Coordinates of all heavy atoms in Angstrom, one line a residue:
M1 N 12.5 19.6 17.7 CA 12.8 20.0 16.4 C 11.6 20.6 15.6 O 11.7 21.5 14.9 CB 13.4 18.8 15.7 CG 13.9 19.0 14.3 SD 15.3 20.1 14.4 CE 15.8 20.2 12.7
L2 N 10.5 19.9 15.8 CA 9.3 20.3 15.1 C 8.9 21.7 15.6 O 8.4 22.6 14.9 CB 8.1 19.3 15.4 CG 6.8 19.6 14.7 CD1 7.0 19.7 13.2 CD2 5.8 18.5 15.0
E3 N 9.1 21.9 17.0 CA 8.7 23.2 17.5 C 9.5 24.3 16.9 O 9.0 25.5 16.6 CB 8.9 23.2 19.0 CG 8.0 22.3 19.8 CD 8.4 20.9 19.9 OE1 9.6 20.6 19.4 OE2 7.7 20.1 20.3
I4 N 10.8 24.1 16.6 CA 11.7 25.1 16.0 C 11.2 25.4 14.6 O 11.1 26.6 14.2 CB 13.1 24.6 16.0 CG1 13.7 24.4 17.4 CG2 14.0 25.5 15.2 CD1 15.0 23.7 17.5
I5 N 10.8 24.4 13.9 CA 10.4 24.6 12.5 C 9.1 25.4 12.5 O 8.9 26.3 11.7 CB 10.2 23.2 11.8 CG1 11.5 22.5 11.6 CG2 9.5 23.4 10.4 CD1 11.5 21.1 11.1
I6 N 8.2 25.0 13.4 CA 6.9 25.7 13.5 C 7.1 27.2 13.9 O 6.5 28.1 13.3 CB 5.9 25.0 14.5 CG1 5.5 23.7 13.9 CG2 4.7 25.9 14.8 CD1 4.7 22.8 14.9
G7 N 8.1 27.4 14.8 CA 8.4 28.8 15.2 C 9.0 29.6 14.1 O 8.6 30.8 13.9
I8 N 9.9 29.0 13.3 CA 10.4 29.7 12.1 C 9.3 30.0 11.1 O 9.3 31.1 10.6 CB 11.6 28.9 11.5 CG1 12.7 28.8 12.5 CG2 12.0 29.4 10.2 CD1 13.8 27.8 12.1
A9 N 8.5 29.1 10.9 CA 7.4 29.3 10.0 C 6.4 30.4 10.5 O 6.0 31.3 9.7 CB 6.6 28.0 9.7
A10 N 6.2 30.4 11.8 CA 5.3 31.5 12.3 C 5.9 32.8 12.2 O 5.2 33.8 11.8 CB 5.0 31.2 13.8
V11 N 7.2 32.9 12.4 CA 7.9 34.2 12.3 C 7.9 34.7 10.8 O 7.6 35.8 10.5 CB 9.3 34.1 12.8 CG1 10.2 35.4 12.4 CG2 9.3 33.9 14.3
G12 N 8.1 33.7 9.9 CA 8.0 34.0 8.5 C 6.7 34.5 8.1 O 6.5 35.5 7.3
L13 N 5.6 33.8 8.6 CA 4.3 34.3 8.2 C 4.0 35.7 8.8 O 3.3 36.5 8.1 CB 3.2 33.3 8.7 CG 3.1 32.0 7.9 CD1 2.2 31.0 8.6 CD2 2.6 32.2 6.5
L14 N 4.4 35.9 10.0 CA 4.2 37.2 10.6 C 4.9 38.3 9.8 O 4.4 39.4 9.5 CB 4.6 37.3 12.0 CG 3.7 36.6 13.0 CD1 4.4 36.6 14.4 CD2 2.4 37.3 13.1
G15 N 6.1 38.0 9.3 CA 6.9 38.9 8.5 C 6.2 39.2 7.2 O 6.1 40.3 6.7
Y16 N 5.6 38.1 6.6 CA 4.9 38.2 5.3 C 3.6 39.1 5.5 O 3.3 39.9 4.7 CB 4.5 36.8 4.8 CG 4.0 36.8 3.4 CD1 4.6 37.6 2.4 CD2 3.0 36.0 3.0 CE1 4.2 37.5 1.1 CE2 2.5 36.0 1.7 CZ 3.2 36.7 0.7 OH 2.7 36.7 -0.6
V17 N 2.9 38.9 6.6 CA 1.7 39.7 6.9 C 2.1 41.2 7.0 O 1.5 42.1 6.5 CB 1.0 39.2 8.2 CG1 -0.1 40.2 8.6 CG2 0.3 37.8 7.9
A18 N 3.2 41.4 7.8 CA 3.7 42.8 8.0 C 4.1 43.4 6.6 O 3.8 44.6 6.4 CB 4.9 42.8 8.9
Y19 N 4.7 42.7 5.8 CA 5.1 43.1 4.4 C 3.9 43.6 3.7 O 3.8 44.6 3.1 CB 5.9 42.1 3.7 CG 5.9 42.3 2.2 CD1 6.8 43.2 1.6 CD2 5.1 41.5 1.3 CE1 6.9 43.4 0.3 CE2 5.2 41.7 0.0 CZ 6.0 42.7 -0.6 OH 6.1 42.9 -1.9
K20 N 2.8 42.7 3.7 CA 1.6 43.0 2.9 C 0.9 44.2 3.5 O 0.3 45.0 2.7 CB 0.7 41.8 2.9 CG 1.2 40.6 2.0 CD 0.2 39.5 2.1 CE 0.1 38.7 0.9 NZ -0.4 39.4 -0.3
V21 N 0.9 44.4 4.8 CA 0.3 45.5 5.4 C 1.0 46.8 5.1 O 0.4 47.8 4.7 CB 0.1 45.3 6.9 CG1 -0.4 46.6 7.6 CG2 -0.9 44.1 7.2
V22 N 2.3 46.8 5.3 CA 3.1 48.0 5.2 C 3.4 48.4 3.8 O 3.2 49.5 3.4 CB 4.5 47.9 6.0 CG1 5.4 49.1 5.8 CG2 4.2 47.7 7.5
V23 N 3.9 47.4 3.0 CA 4.3 47.8 1.6 C 3.1 47.8 0.7 O 3.0 48.7 -0.2 CB 5.4 46.7 1.2 CG1 5.8 47.0 -0.3 CG2 6.6 46.8 2.1
K24 N 2.2 46.8 0.7 CA 1.1 46.7 -0.2 C -0.1 47.4 0.3 O -1.1 47.4 -0.4 CB 0.8 45.3 -0.5 CG 2.0 44.6 -1.3 CD 1.5 43.3 -1.9 CE 2.5 42.8 -2.9 NZ 2.0 41.7 -3.6
H25 N -0.1 48.0 1.5 CA -1.2 48.7 2.1 C -2.5 47.9 2.2 O -3.6 48.4 1.9 CB -1.4 50.0 1.3 CG -0.2 50.9 1.3 ND1 0.4 51.5 2.4 CD2 0.6 51.2 0.2 CE1 1.4 52.1 2.0 NE2 1.6 52.0 0.7
E26 N -2.4 46.6 2.5 CA -3.5 45.8 2.7 C -3.9 45.8 4.2 O -3.1 46.1 5.0 CB -3.3 44.3 2.3 CG -2.9 44.1 0.8 CD -2.6 42.7 0.5 OE1 -2.8 41.8 1.3 OE2 -2.2 42.5 -0.6
T27 N -5.2 45.5 4.5 CA -5.5 45.4 5.9 C -5.0 44.1 6.4 O -4.8 43.2 5.6 CB -7.1 45.5 6.1 OG1 -7.6 44.3 5.5 CG2 -7.7 46.7 5.4
P28 N -4.8 44.0 7.7 CA -4.3 42.7 8.2 C -5.2 41.5 7.9 O -4.7 40.5 7.6 CB -4.2 43.0 9.7 CG -4.0 44.4 9.9 CD -4.8 45.0 8.7
L29 N -6.5 41.8 7.9 CA -7.5 40.7 7.6 C -7.3 40.3 6.2 O -7.3 39.1 5.9 CB -8.9 41.1 7.9 CG -10.0 40.1 7.7 CD1 -9.7 38.9 8.6 CD2 -11.3 40.6 7.9
E30 N -7.2 41.2 5.2 CA -7.0 40.9 3.8 C -5.7 40.1 3.6 O -5.7 39.1 2.9 CB -6.9 42.2 3.0 CG -8.2 42.9 2.8 CD -8.0 44.2 2.1 OE1 -6.9 44.8 2.1 OE2 -9.0 44.7 1.5
A31 N -4.6 40.5 4.3 CA -3.3 39.9 4.2 C -3.4 38.4 4.7 O -3.0 37.5 4.0 CB -2.3 40.7 4.9
I32 N -4.0 38.3 5.9 CA -4.1 36.9 6.5 C -5.0 36.0 5.6 O -4.7 34.9 5.4 CB -4.6 37.1 7.9 CG1 -3.5 37.7 8.8 CG2 -5.0 35.7 8.5 CD1 -4.0 38.1 10.2
T33 N -6.1 36.6 5.1 CA -7.0 35.8 4.3 C -6.3 35.3 3.0 O -6.4 34.2 2.6 CB -8.3 36.6 3.9 OG1 -8.9 37.0 5.2 CG2 -9.2 35.7 3.1
E34 N -5.6 36.2 2.4 CA -4.9 35.9 1.1 C -3.8 34.8 1.4 O -3.6 33.9 0.6 CB -4.2 37.1 0.5 CG -3.6 36.9 -0.8 CD -3.1 38.2 -1.4 OE1 -3.7 39.2 -1.3 OE2 -2.0 38.1 -2.1
I35 N -3.1 35.0 2.5 CA -2.0 34.0 2.9 C -2.6 32.7 3.1 O -2.1 31.6 2.7 CB -1.2 34.5 4.0 CG1 -0.4 35.7 3.6 CG2 -0.3 33.4 4.6 CD1 0.3 36.5 4.8
K36 N -3.8 32.7 3.9 CA -4.5 31.4 4.1 C -4.9 30.7 2.8 O -4.7 29.5 2.7 CB -5.7 31.6 5.0 CG -6.5 30.4 5.3 CD -7.9 30.7 5.7 CE -8.8 31.3 4.7 NZ -9.6 30.6 3.9
D37 N -5.4 31.5 1.9 CA -5.8 30.9 0.6 C -4.6 30.4 -0.1 O -4.7 29.3 -0.8 CB -6.5 32.0 -0.2 CG -7.9 32.4 0.3 OD1 -8.4 31.7 1.2 OD2 -8.4 33.5 -0.1
E38 N -3.5 31.0 -0.1 CA -2.3 30.5 -0.7 C -1.8 29.2 -0.1 O -1.4 28.3 -0.8 CB -1.1 31.6 -0.6 CG -1.4 32.8 -1.5 CD -0.3 33.9 -1.3 OE1 0.7 33.6 -0.6 OE2 -0.5 35.0 -1.8
I39 N -1.9 29.2 1.2 CA -1.4 28.0 2.0 C -2.3 26.8 1.6 O -1.9 25.7 1.3 CB -1.4 28.2 3.5 CG1 -0.3 29.2 3.8 CG2 -1.3 26.9 4.2 CD1 -0.3 29.7 5.2
V40 N -3.7 27.1 1.6 CA -4.6 26.0 1.2 C -4.4 25.5 -0.2 O -4.3 24.3 -0.5 CB -6.1 26.5 1.4 CG1 -7.1 25.5 0.8 CG2 -6.4 26.7 2.9
Y41 N -4.1 26.4 -1.1 CA -3.9 26.1 -2.5 C -2.6 25.2 -2.6 O -2.6 24.2 -3.3 CB -3.7 27.4 -3.3 CG -3.3 27.2 -4.8 CD1 -4.2 26.8 -5.7 CD2 -2.0 27.3 -5.2 CE1 -3.9 26.6 -7.0 CE2 -1.6 27.1 -6.5 CZ -2.5 26.8 -7.4 OH -2.2 26.6 -8.7
E42 N -1.5 25.6 -2.0 CA -0.3 24.9 -2.0 C -0.4 23.5 -1.3 O 0.1 22.5 -1.8 CB 0.8 25.7 -1.3 CG 1.3 26.9 -2.1 CD 1.8 26.5 -3.5 OE1 2.4 25.5 -3.7 OE2 1.6 27.3 -4.4
A43 N -1.2 23.5 -0.2 CA -1.4 22.2 0.5 C -2.2 21.2 -0.4 O -1.8 20.0 -0.4 CB -2.2 22.5 1.8
K44 N -3.1 21.7 -1.2 CA -3.8 20.8 -2.1 C -2.9 20.2 -3.1 O -3.0 19.0 -3.4 CB -5.0 21.5 -2.7 CG -6.2 21.7 -1.8 CD -7.3 22.4 -2.4 CE -8.4 22.7 -1.4 NZ -9.6 23.4 -2.0
H45 N -2.0 21.1 -3.7 CA -1.1 20.6 -4.7 C -0.1 19.6 -4.0 O 0.3 18.6 -4.6 CB -0.3 21.7 -5.3 CG -1.2 22.5 -6.3 ND1 -1.5 21.9 -7.5 CD2 -1.8 23.7 -6.2 CE1 -2.2 22.8 -8.2 NE2 -2.5 23.8 -7.4
L46 N 0.3 19.9 -2.8 CA 1.2 19.0 -2.1 C 0.6 17.7 -1.8 O 1.2 16.6 -2.0 CB 1.7 19.6 -0.8 CG 2.7 18.9 0.0 CD1 4.0 18.6 -0.8 CD2 3.0 19.6 1.3
E47 N -0.7 17.7 -1.5 CA -1.4 16.5 -1.2 C -1.5 15.6 -2.5 O -1.3 14.4 -2.4 CB -2.9 16.8 -0.7 CG -3.7 15.6 -0.4 CD -5.1 16.0 0.0 OE1 -5.5 17.2 -0.1 OE2 -5.9 15.1 0.3
V48 N -1.8 16.2 -3.6 CA -1.9 15.5 -4.9 C -0.5 14.9 -5.2 O -0.4 13.8 -5.6 CB -2.4 16.4 -6.0 CG1 -2.2 15.8 -7.4 CG2 -3.8 16.8 -5.8
A49 N 0.6 15.7 -5.0 CA 1.9 15.2 -5.3 C 2.3 14.0 -4.4 O 2.8 13.1 -4.9 CB 2.9 16.4 -5.1
V50 N 2.0 14.1 -3.2 CA 2.2 13.0 -2.2 C 1.4 11.8 -2.6 O 2.0 10.7 -2.6 CB 1.9 13.4 -0.8 CG1 1.9 12.3 0.1 CG2 3.0 14.5 -0.3
E51 N 0.2 12.0 -3.0 CA -0.6 10.9 -3.4 C 0.0 10.2 -4.6 O 0.0 9.0 -4.7 CB -2.1 11.4 -3.8 CG -3.1 10.3 -4.0 CD -4.5 10.9 -4.2 OE1 -4.9 11.6 -3.4 OE2 -5.1 10.5 -5.3
H52 N 0.4 11.0 -5.6 CA 1.1 10.4 -6.8 C 2.3 9.6 -6.4 O 2.6 8.5 -7.0 CB 1.4 11.4 -7.8 CG 0.2 11.9 -8.6 ND1 -0.5 11.2 -9.5 CD2 -0.5 13.1 -8.5 CE1 -1.5 11.9 -10.0 NE2 -1.6 13.1 -9.3
K53 N 3.1 10.2 -5.5 CA 4.4 9.5 -5.1 C 4.0 8.2 -4.4 O 4.7 7.1 -4.6 CB 5.2 10.4 -4.2 CG 5.8 11.5 -4.8 CD 7.0 11.1 -5.6 CE 7.8 12.3 -6.2 NZ 8.8 11.9 -7.0
L54 N 3.0 8.2 -3.6 CA 2.6 7.0 -2.9 C 2.1 5.9 -3.9 O 2.4 4.7 -3.7 CB 1.5 7.3 -1.8 CG 2.0 8.0 -0.6 CD1 0.8 8.4 0.3 CD2 2.9 7.1 0.2
E55 N 1.3 6.3 -4.9 CA 0.8 5.4 -5.9 C 2.0 4.8 -6.6 O 2.0 3.6 -6.9 CB -0.1 6.1 -6.8 CG -1.5 6.4 -6.2 CD -2.4 7.3 -7.1 OE1 -1.9 7.7 -8.2 OE2 -3.5 7.5 -6.7
D56 N 3.0 5.6 -7.0 CA 4.2 5.1 -7.7 C 4.9 4.1 -6.8 O 5.4 3.1 -7.3 CB 5.1 6.3 -8.1 CG 4.5 7.2 -9.2 OD1 3.5 6.7 -9.8 OD2 5.0 8.3 -9.4
A57 N 5.1 4.5 -5.5 CA 5.8 3.6 -4.6 C 5.0 2.2 -4.5 O 5.6 1.2 -4.4 CB 6.0 4.2 -3.3
L58 N 3.7 2.3 -4.4 CA 2.9 1.1 -4.3 C 3.0 0.2 -5.5 O 3.2 -1.0 -5.4 CB 1.4 1.5 -4.0 CG 0.5 0.3 -3.9 CD1 0.9 -0.6 -2.7 CD2 -1.0 0.8 -3.7
H59 N 3.0 0.9 -6.7 CA 3.1 0.1 -7.9 C 4.5 -0.5 -8.0 O 4.6 -1.7 -8.4 CB 3.0 1.1 -9.1 CG 3.1 0.4 -10.4 ND1 2.1 -0.4 -10.9 CD2 4.0 0.5 -11.4 CE1 2.5 -0.9 -12.1 NE2 3.6 -0.3 -12.4
S60 N 5.5 0.2 -7.6 CA 6.9 -0.4 -7.6 C 7.0 -1.6 -6.6 O 7.6 -2.6 -6.9 CB 7.9 0.7 -7.2 OG 9.2 0.2 -7.1
L61 N 6.4 -1.4 -5.5 CA 6.4 -2.5 -4.5 C 5.6 -3.7 -5.0 O 6.1 -4.8 -4.8 CB 5.7 -2.0 -3.2 CG 5.8 -3.0 -2.0 CD1 7.2 -3.3 -1.7 CD2 5.1 -2.3 -0.8
E62 N 4.5 -3.5 -5.7 CA 3.7 -4.6 -6.3 C 4.6 -5.3 -7.3 O 4.6 -6.5 -7.4 CB 2.5 -4.1 -6.9 CG 1.4 -3.7 -5.9 CD 0.2 -2.9 -6.5 OE1 0.3 -2.5 -7.7 OE2 -0.8 -2.8 -5.8
E63 N 5.3 -4.6 -8.1 CA 6.2 -5.2 -9.1 C 7.3 -6.0 -8.5 O 7.6 -7.1 -8.9 CB 6.8 -4.1 -10.0 CG 5.8 -3.5 -11.0 CD 6.5 -2.4 -11.8 OE1 7.6 -1.9 -11.5 OE2 5.8 -2.0 -12.8
Q64 N 7.9 -5.5 -7.4 CA 8.9 -6.2 -6.7 C 8.4 -7.5 -6.1 O 9.0 -8.6 -6.2 CB 9.5 -5.4 -5.6 CG 10.4 -4.2 -6.1 CD 10.9 -3.3 -5.0 OE1 10.8 -3.7 -3.8 NE2 11.3 -2.1 -5.3
V65 N 7.2 -7.4 -5.5 CA 6.6 -8.6 -4.9 C 6.3 -9.7 -6.0 O 6.6 -10.8 -5.8 CB 5.3 -8.3 -4.1 CG1 4.5 -9.5 -3.7 CG2 5.7 -7.4 -2.9
S66 N 5.8 -9.2 -7.1 CA 5.5 -10.1 -8.2 C 6.8 -10.8 -8.7 O 6.8 -12.0 -9.0 CB 4.8 -9.3 -9.3 OG 4.6 -10.2 -10.5
A67 N 7.8 -10.0 -8.9 CA 9.1 -10.6 -9.3 C 9.7 -11.6 -8.3 O 10.2 -12.6 -8.7 CB 10.1 -9.4 -9.6
R68 N 9.6 -11.3 -7.1 CA 10.1 -12.2 -6.0 C 9.2 -13.4 -6.0 O 9.7 -14.5 -5.8 CB 10.1 -11.5 -4.7 CG 11.2 -10.5 -4.6 CD 11.2 -9.8 -3.2 NE 12.3 -8.8 -3.2 CZ 12.3 -7.8 -2.3 NH1 11.5 -7.8 -1.3 NH2 13.3 -7.0 -2.4
A69 N 7.9 -13.3 -6.2 CA 7.1 -14.5 -6.3 C 7.4 -15.4 -7.4 O 7.5 -16.6 -7.3 CB 5.6 -14.1 -6.4
K70 N 7.8 -14.8 -8.6 CA 8.2 -15.6 -9.7 C 9.5 -16.3 -9.5 O 9.7 -17.5 -9.8 CB 8.3 -14.7 -11.0 CG 7.0 -14.2 -11.5 CD 7.2 -13.3 -12.7 CE 5.9 -12.8 -13.2 NZ 6.0 -11.8 -14.3
V71 N 10.4 -15.6 -8.8 CA 11.7 -16.3 -8.5 C 11.5 -17.4 -7.5 O 12.0 -18.5 -7.6 CB 12.7 -15.2 -7.9 CG1 13.9 -15.9 -7.2 CG2 13.1 -14.2 -8.9
A72 N 10.6 -17.2 -6.5 CA 10.3 -18.3 -5.5 C 9.6 -19.5 -6.2 O 10.0 -20.6 -5.9 CB 9.3 -17.7 -4.5
E73 N 8.8 -19.2 -7.2 CA 8.2 -20.3 -7.9 C 9.2 -21.1 -8.7 O 9.2 -22.4 -8.7 CB 7.1 -19.8 -8.9 CG 5.8 -19.4 -8.3 CD 4.9 -18.8 -9.3 OE1 5.1 -18.9 -10.6 OE2 3.9 -18.2 -8.9
K74 N 10.2 -20.4 -9.3 CA 11.2 -21.1 -10.1 C 12.1 -21.9 -9.1 O 12.5 -23.0 -9.4 CB 12.0 -20.1 -10.9 CG 11.2 -19.6 -12.0 CD 12.0 -18.5 -12.8 CE 11.1 -18.0 -14.0 NZ 11.8 -17.0 -14.7
E75 N 12.4 -21.3 -8.0 CA 13.3 -22.0 -7.0 C 12.5 -23.2 -6.5 O 13.2 -24.3 -6.3 CB 13.6 -21.1 -5.8 CG 14.6 -20.0 -6.2 CD 14.8 -19.0 -5.0 OE1 14.1 -19.0 -4.1 OE2 15.8 -18.3 -5.1
E76 N 11.2 -23.1 -6.3 CA 10.5 -24.3 -5.8 C 10.5 -25.4 -6.9 O 10.6 -26.6 -6.6 CB 9.0 -23.8 -5.6 CG 8.2 -24.9 -5.0 CD 6.7 -24.5 -4.7 OE1 6.5 -23.3 -4.7 OE2 5.9 -25.4 -4.5
L77 N 10.4 -25.0 -8.2 CA 10.4 -26.0 -9.2 C 11.8 -26.7 -9.3 O 11.9 -27.9 -9.5 CB 10.1 -25.4 -10.6 CG 8.7 -25.0 -10.8 CD1 8.6 -24.2 -12.1 CD2 7.8 -26.2 -10.8
I78 N 12.9 -25.9 -9.1 CA 14.2 -26.5 -9.1 C 14.4 -27.4 -7.9 O 14.9 -28.5 -8.1 CB 15.3 -25.3 -9.1 CG1 15.2 -24.6 -10.4 CG2 16.7 -25.9 -8.7 CD1 16.1 -23.3 -10.3
L79 N 14.0 -27.0 -6.7 CA 14.1 -27.9 -5.6 C 13.3 -29.2 -5.7 O 13.7 -30.3 -5.4 CB 13.7 -27.1 -4.3 CG 14.6 -26.0 -3.9 CD1 14.0 -25.3 -2.7 CD2 16.0 -26.6 -3.5
S80 N 12.1 -29.0 -6.3 CA 11.2 -30.2 -6.5 C 11.9 -31.2 -7.5 O 11.9 -32.4 -7.3 CB 9.9 -29.7 -7.1 OG 9.1 -30.8 -7.4
A81 N 12.5 -30.6 -8.6 CA 13.2 -31.5 -9.6 C 14.4 -32.1 -8.9 O 14.6 -33.3 -9.1 CB 13.6 -30.6 -10.7
K82 N 15.1 -31.4 -8.1 CA 16.3 -32.0 -7.4 C 15.8 -33.1 -6.4 O 16.5 -34.2 -6.3 CB 17.1 -31.0 -6.6 CG 17.9 -30.0 -7.4 CD 18.6 -29.0 -6.6 CE 19.5 -28.1 -7.4 NZ 20.2 -27.2 -6.6
L83 N 14.7 -32.9 -5.7 CA 14.2 -33.9 -4.8 C 13.8 -35.2 -5.6 O 14.1 -36.3 -5.2 CB 13.0 -33.3 -4.0 CG 12.3 -34.3 -3.0 CD1 13.3 -34.7 -2.0 CD2 11.1 -33.7 -2.5
K84 N 13.1 -35.0 -6.7 CA 12.7 -36.2 -7.5 C 14.0 -36.9 -8.0 O 14.0 -38.1 -8.0 CB 11.8 -35.7 -8.7 CG 10.4 -35.4 -8.3 CD 9.6 -35.1 -9.5 CE 8.2 -34.8 -9.1 NZ 7.3 -34.6 -10.2
Y85 N 14.9 -36.1 -8.4 CA 16.2 -36.8 -8.9 C 16.8 -37.6 -7.8 O 17.2 -38.8 -8.0 CB 17.2 -35.7 -9.4 CG 18.5 -36.2 -9.7 CD1 18.7 -36.9 -10.9 CD2 19.6 -36.1 -8.8 CE1 20.0 -37.4 -11.2 CE2 20.8 -36.6 -9.1 CZ 21.0 -37.3 -10.3 OH 22.3 -37.8 -10.6
H86 N 16.9 -37.1 -6.6 CA 17.5 -37.8 -5.5 C 16.7 -39.0 -5.1 O 17.2 -40.0 -4.7 CB 17.8 -36.9 -4.3 CG 18.9 -35.9 -4.6 ND1 20.2 -36.3 -4.8 CD2 18.9 -34.5 -4.7 CE1 21.0 -35.2 -5.0 NE2 20.2 -34.1 -4.9
E87 N 15.4 -38.8 -5.2 CA 14.5 -40.0 -4.8 C 14.7 -41.1 -5.9 O 14.8 -42.3 -5.5 CB 13.0 -39.5 -4.8 CG 12.6 -38.7 -3.6 CD 11.2 -38.2 -3.7 OE1 10.6 -38.3 -4.8 OE2 10.7 -37.7 -2.7
N88 N 14.8 -40.7 -7.1 CA 15.0 -41.7 -8.2 C 16.4 -42.4 -8.0 O 16.5 -43.6 -8.2 CB 14.9 -41.1 -9.6 CG 13.4 -40.8 -9.9 OD1 12.5 -41.4 -9.4 ND2 13.2 -39.9 -10.8
E89 N 17.4 -41.6 -7.6 CA 18.7 -42.2 -7.4 C 18.7 -43.1 -6.2 O 19.4 -44.2 -6.2 CB 19.7 -41.1 -7.2 CG 20.1 -40.3 -8.4 CD 20.8 -41.1 -9.5 OE1 21.7 -41.9 -9.1 OE2 20.4 -41.0 -10.7
A90 N 17.9 -42.8 -5.2 CA 17.9 -43.6 -4.0 C 17.1 -44.9 -4.3 O 17.5 -46.0 -3.8 CB 17.1 -42.9 -2.9
K91 N 16.2 -44.9 -5.2 CA 15.4 -46.1 -5.6 C 16.3 -47.0 -6.4 O 16.2 -48.3 -6.4 CB 14.2 -45.8 -6.4 CG 13.1 -45.2 -5.6 CD 11.9 -44.8 -6.4 CE 10.8 -44.1 -5.6 NZ 9.7 -43.7 -6.4
K92 N 17.2 -46.5 -7.2 CA 18.1 -47.3 -8.0 C 19.1 -48.1 -7.2 O 19.5 -49.1 -7.6 CB 18.8 -46.4 -9.0 CG 18.0 -45.8 -10.1 CD 18.8 -45.0 -11.1 CE 17.9 -44.3 -12.1 NZ 18.6 -43.4 -13.0
T93 N 19.5 -47.6 -6.1 CA 20.5 -48.2 -5.3 C 19.9 -49.2 -4.3 O 18.9 -49.4 -4.0 CB 21.4 -47.2 -4.5 OG1 20.6 -46.4 -3.7 CG2 22.2 -46.4 -5.5

């Protein structure tokens, strides 16, 4: 599947280079250099966007863990209170 995607991208890039050479009258080296610069520019923006998404996901995960820890603490307190109650009931009998 990845090979197919890479193949399609390669054909697209070749077509874009051909367009720049034929229609815009650029040299192949100019066209390839400009396309490389565009790809690098977009890759940097994509990297920043992915980094922000990962930070958001990590923050969300931290909030979920914190909330679950609070619930676990409350459950522990409830179970501890129930245990003490049953121990006191057992001592009475």
Side-chain angles (χ1 to χ4, degrees):
M1 183 67 177
L2 183 60
E3 293 84 6
I4 294 171
I5 294 171
I6 292 171
I8 292 170
V11 169
L13 284 174
L14 285 174
Y16 192 42
V17 169
Y19 162 78
K20 288 178 145 299
V21 170
V22 173
V23 176
K24 293 195 168 190
H25 305 291
E26 296 178 9
T27 67
L29 182 60
E30 289 173 337
I32 290 170
T33 303
E34 186 177 323
I35 291 169
K36 176 198 65 95
D37 293 342
E38 290 174 9
I39 291 171
V40 169
Y41 175 80
E42 291 300 326
K44 287 181 181 177
H45 284 287
L46 182 61
E47 179 182 7
V48 169
V50 167
E51 187 175 310
H52 286 287
K53 289 286 186 183
L54 287 173
E55 288 172 356
D56 291 345
L58 179 61
H59 181 69
S60 175
L61 186 59
E62 288 171 344
E63 288 177 348
Q64 290 176 15
V65 168
S66 176
R68 288 180 181 164
K70 288 178 184 177
V71 168
E73 286 176 12
K74 290 179 182 178
E75 288 175 346
E76 185 179 346
L77 289 173
I78 291 169
L79 290 174
S80 176
K82 285 182 179 180
L83 180 62
K84 284 186 180 183
Y85 171 79
H86 288 298
E87 287 174 350
N88 288 337
E89 288 296 313
K91 287 179 184 176
K92 290 181 183 176
T93 58

